[in-house]
Amino acid sequence: MRTRTRTRTRTRTLSLSGRGPGLGLSGRPTCTNRNLNKAWGGKARARARNSRESDPDEPPVGDVLLPVLDKEDLNKEAKWLGETIALWLDEEWCEQKVHVTIGDALCEAYRSQREKGKNEATSILLQLSTDLSKVDFTESFVNPYDVANKAMECLMFKSGIEVCCQSEQDRKFLEESIRNI
């Protein structure tokens, strides 16, 4: 019932705004199946399906796997990850005690996942954000998802996996961090 009330309120608010259906809060069209079906003459799903099938030479996106580590290397990497994230948070914002707490929690969450035999990046990322949600982030300028994403970026970079949309400053920061292991 609570969800229904929220849905009705949101619908009422959007229709009262004068923007009309299919327009977002910014006044721009929203991307829904109904809008796509209108624009493409009722063939949105078929076009999406056919676009995937149209290029047989393009390989499907696969899992991103982190290297398997022995216990000693795993402990080193987990410690490095926690310290690197704490340092990144200090440099990105300002030095705060909570950054060390976040780094320590990240270290433990990462170690726990890898000790369970997980090495697939997406499942580790999701579990890190879940585990980090137990940490009090109220005094930080980030949230568990920011930290988990940055941690995965660090791990992928360290493993030699290409990282999308990484700034030159971040690349240099991580190169320096890896040298100091």
Side-chain angles (χ1 to χ4, degrees), residues 116-173:
K116 292 177 183 175
K118 293 189 178 180
N119 65 345
E120 198 279 316
T122 305
S123 65
I124 293 171
L125 172 70
L126 293 173
Q127 191 59 50
L128 288 178
S129 59
T130 300
D131 292 350
L132 288 170
S133 67
K134 298 169 188 159
V135 176
D136 182 8
F137 276 79
T138 55
E139 293 187 24
S140 69
F141 297 101
V142 294
N143 62 49
Y145 307 103
D146 295 330
V147 173
N149 281 322
K150 188 63 174 182
M152 193 51 61
E153 178 185 324
C154 293
L155 291 166
M156 289 173 62
F157 184 84
K158 183 178 179 285
S159 300
I161 300 169
E162 185 177 335
V163 178
C164 174
C165 308
Q166 186 178 48
S167 70
E168 184 67 21
Q169 181 180 357
D170 280 353
R171 187 183 60 73
K172 287 179 180 178
F173 171 79

Side-chain angles (χ1 to χ4, degrees), residues 5-96:
T5 305
R6 286 183 182 167
T7 304
R8 273 191 241 144
T9 304
R10 174 177 264 169
T11 304
R12 209 175 309 144
T13 303
L14 288 175
S15 61
L16 290 176
S17 69
R19 292 183 189 103
L23 296 178
L25 295 175
S26 66
R28 294 184 184 129
T30 57
C31 185
T32 64
N33 277 343
R34 187 171 26 177
N35 291 348
L36 290 175
N37 281 332
K38 264 188 206 176
W40 288 344
K43 297 179 173 86
R45 285 190 182 144
R47 284 190 185 208
R49 186 174 47 251
N50 289 339
S51 69
R52 285 192 301 266
E53 297 168 359
S54 64
D55 192 1
D57 295 331
E58 188 175 318
V61 176
D63 293 338
V64 175
L65 301 175
L66 298 176
V68 176
L69 302 171
D70 62 30
K71 189 164 181 91
E72 183 181 334
D73 287 341
L74 173 58
N75 287 331
K76 275 183 178 175
E77 185 167 82
K79 182 180 178 194
W80 167 81
L81 183 61
E83 291 173 353
T84 299
I85 291 297
L87 181 61
W88 169 73
L89 289 168
D90 284 347
E91 288 188 7
E92 189 75 17
W93 302 101
C94 63
E95 286 189 37
Q96 293 180 313

